[in-house]
Amino acid sequence: MEPAGGRDSARDVSKVESQLRKDVREFCVLAPLRDRLRYAVEPLGELGNSGALATGQGTVYPLLARLRGDALVATDRRESPSGPPPRRYYALTGTGRAALTECERIRPGFRDAVDQFLAPDERRDQDIGGTA
């Protein structure tokens, strides 16, 4: 088999990275809320500091709205230290805490399974006709 190359290949890698981010971002937004009420820009900043999960407000605010609609987070409006308008602060609900706990429970096994499939395997390469 010949590997795909060129511009389409680079676009496919970008799609893979984008999909992986999308799949884990929800739990990475929930995790900082486990300890205390937070203003939305706090999880946004933490994602930005991670590098690989960096995203913008155009992604985080709709995600938080969806998490709220799914009853994973609750909100509380409070006056802003910098003046009006009031800010919306987010906290985990019991359902959100249970979802985060479940993610923490299954993530190591899932990660290990993915690593096993993605790890180079000389026997698999030879079966396909490649060389090790």
Side-chain angles (χ1 to χ4, degrees):
M1 287 183 154
E2 288 295 317
R7 195 174 53 170
D8 289 340
S9 178
R11 186 176 61 220
D12 289 345
V13 169
S14 178
K15 283 177 158 178
V16 169
E17 185 177 2
S18 177
Q19 188 62 46
L20 287 171
R21 283 185 193 169
K22 181 181 176 186
D23 290 345
V24 300
R25 192 175 287 133
E26 177 176 308
F27 294 103
C28 292
V29 167
L30 290 175
L33 302 177
R34 85 165 52 100
D35 300 324
R36 64 180 173 88
L37 199 65
R38 291 188 182 240
Y39 181 51
V41 295
E42 292 180 78
L44 179 64
E46 291 177 17
L47 288 171
N49 291 338
S50 75
L53 295 172
T55 191
Q57 291 180 8
T59 299
V60 170
Y61 283 104
L63 174 59
L64 286 167
R66 186 173 58 74
L67 294 172
R68 184 175 176 217
D70 292 344
L72 298 175
V73 299
T75 59
D76 183 30
R77 286 192 179 269
R78 295 186 176 181
E79 291 301 318
S80 168
S82 59
R87 290 182 174 176
R88 182 175 283 172
Y89 287 80
Y90 296 83
L92 281 182
T93 62
T95 303
R97 192 168 300 282
L100 184 57
T101 298
E102 181 66 5
C103 177
E104 291 169 335
R105 185 187 70 76
I106 66 171
R107 188 188 59 80
F110 185 80
R111 179 201 59 224
D112 293 348
V114 170
D115 287 351
Q116 182 179 0
F117 278 99
L118 296 180
D121 183 339
E122 291 180 14
R123 292 171 301 198
R124 193 177 328 148
D125 291 342
Q126 289 172 356
D127 289 345
I128 294 173
T131 59

